[in-house]
Amino acid sequence: MNRPMPDARGPREPASWRMGPWRFVVWFGTISLLADVVYEGARSITGPLLASLGASSLVVGVVTGAGESAALVLRLVSGPLADRTRRFWGLAIGGYALTVASVPLLGVAGVLWAACVLVIAERVGKAVRSPAKDTLLSHATAATGRGRGFAVHEALDQIGAIAGPLLVAGVLALTGGDYGPALGVLAVPGIAVLLLLFWLRARMPDPEAYERGTATSAPTAPDARGGRLPRAFWTYAAFTAATTTGFATFGVLSYHLVQRHLLSTAWVPVLYAAAMAVDAVAALATGWLYDRYGPRVLVALPVLTAGVVALAFTDTVAVAVAGSLVWGAATGIQESTLRATVADLVPSGRRATAYGLFAGVVGAASLAGGALTGGLYGYSIPVLITVVVAIQVLALVLLAVTRVDRR
């Protein structure tokens, strides 16, 4: 699965490039940063907000679960739709618009049913835009280096994921817990998201020109819009499913920390923010290594996934906290380098479809992983560690098969 390296001097810029590929990646990362401020800010208080409108814990669980399911499952539709229509910019803008409109309206919804609809609508917006957005980004990373391009995008994204909840917390503190202003202020970065999207589309309406202008990432399969996805993609999806199935959620990690009295509830968000910072650093590091050494660097992901359960579920504060930070590192690889590899395995004409299917696989595996780790945690932590390690060994085998299929 080794690929030629981009020219160290940087790619030449054909006349069809209205801005350099790195500038495109950074501007798209800035858009994602601002969008994360909006929807991560809202998600940080979704539970208390719905409760303030009369929702029970069951309603909160069902609504948030339905939103996460929609964010992943609907990509099975939006991915093929993007490939079929080639309206990548339109779908990206439409999805972002739905998200940034839904969040401020949450603050003035006033009734439970309307708030529930808006919570789900925000997640639907993510489902609509993600395959198209990843495809647009993949074209530019053909010129910058897949790993580094997706890593820089993820690092910028995580800045927003940290800033959004902190902004909302600050406004809540200033207003005495009034959700209206806290969510209303998120309209400002939301408007900036849409303005930047329209500006970026005007500057670079055809990002595929980046990929046409470089020979560094041409797929071995024919670049057709029809036909089957490469076999290597499916074995890679199986690898991703395996390593994700053994991946504990932060909800389970924080549950352990609080229930075993290792951390107070107030410190959990601080630890989460630290894990997100590690996420960004890990994304940048593995992205650089990916461009230098290829997908073999993904060997680190099963190792880190096994390390999470081995460290995080101890009764020693420092070790358990270290396990949560390892979780952040693994998350950074999942959100950046895993996506970069999809672009290298699938030809441009089928890439949005591949991203949609890939998200469906990740979503199903995440659900299975949450249930598996949560269930085994309550049964026996040593059994949990043993099962997760066994799954990660399987993942390593599947990664090796993927490399063989790619050749």
Side-chain angles (χ1 to χ4, degrees), residues 159-179:
I159 293 173
I162 296 170
L166 293 178
L167 173 62
V168 168
V171 177
L172 284 173
L174 290 173
T175 61
D178 190 343
Y179 291 110

Side-chain angles (χ1 to χ4, degrees), residues 48-315:
L49 171 65
L50 294 179
S52 72
L53 296 174
S56 64
S57 59
L58 175 62
V59 170
V60 172
V62 169
V63 170
T64 54
E68 292 307 310
S69 176
L72 292 167
V73 174
L74 290 180
R75 297 186 207 187
L76 298 173
V77 177
S78 61
L81 178 64
D83 274 336
R84 187 166 57 251
T85 64
R86 314 304 289 174
R87 296 175 183 265
F88 298 112
W89 277 116
L91 288 167
I93 292 171
Y96 275 116
L98 181 56
T99 288
V100 301
S102 299
V103 167
L105 291 175
L106 267 174
V108 296
V111 293
L112 180 58
W113 69 266
C116 292
V117 169
L118 289 168
V119 168
I120 295 173
E122 184 273 308
R123 296 284 83 192
V124 170
K126 186 172 181 65
V128 170
R129 70 177 179 265
S130 289
K133 178 202 71 175
D134 285 343
T135 301
L136 291 170
L137 187 61
S138 75
H139 295 318
T141 61
T144 64
R146 298 280 193 211
R148 284 172 290 181
F150 274 96
V152 167
H153 180 271
E154 169 65 7
L156 290 167
D157 191 81
Q158 290 309 109
I159 293 173
I162 296 170
L166 293 178
L167 173 62
V168 168
V171 177
L172 284 173
L174 290 173
T175 61
D178 190 343
Y179 291 110
L183 292 167
V185 74
L186 298 177
V188 176
I191 291 170
V193 165
L194 296 179
L195 291 175
L196 282 175
L197 276 168
F198 283 111
W199 173 80
L200 191 58
R201 183 179 67 171
R203 287 296 309 274
M204 196 64 196
D206 180 27
E208 195 169 0
Y210 293 124
E211 196 155 353
R212 292 194 298 267
T214 179
T216 63
S217 62
T220 57
D223 189 6
R225 298 180 191 178
R228 298 179 179 179
L229 291 170
R231 178 179 171 180
F233 168 78
W234 293 111
T235 51
Y236 180 69
F239 155 74
T240 303
T243 193
T244 305
T245 298
F247 193 61
T249 66
F250 188 78
V252 178
L253 302 187
S254 60
Y255 177 89
H256 172 78
L257 290 167
V258 173
Q259 289 299 308
R260 297 295 181 94
H261 304 291
L262 302 177
L263 284 183
S264 67
T265 303
W267 276 100
V268 170
V270 177
L271 179 59
Y272 181 79
M276 291 298 97
V278 173
D279 173 321
V281 173
L284 290 170
T286 56
W288 182 84
L289 290 170
Y290 177 84
D291 287 335
R292 188 173 181 84
Y293 299 108
R296 71 187 69 177
V297 302
L298 291 173
V299 167
L301 184 55
V303 173
L304 291 174
T305 298
V308 170
V309 294
L311 297 172
F313 294 126
T314 63
D315 288 329

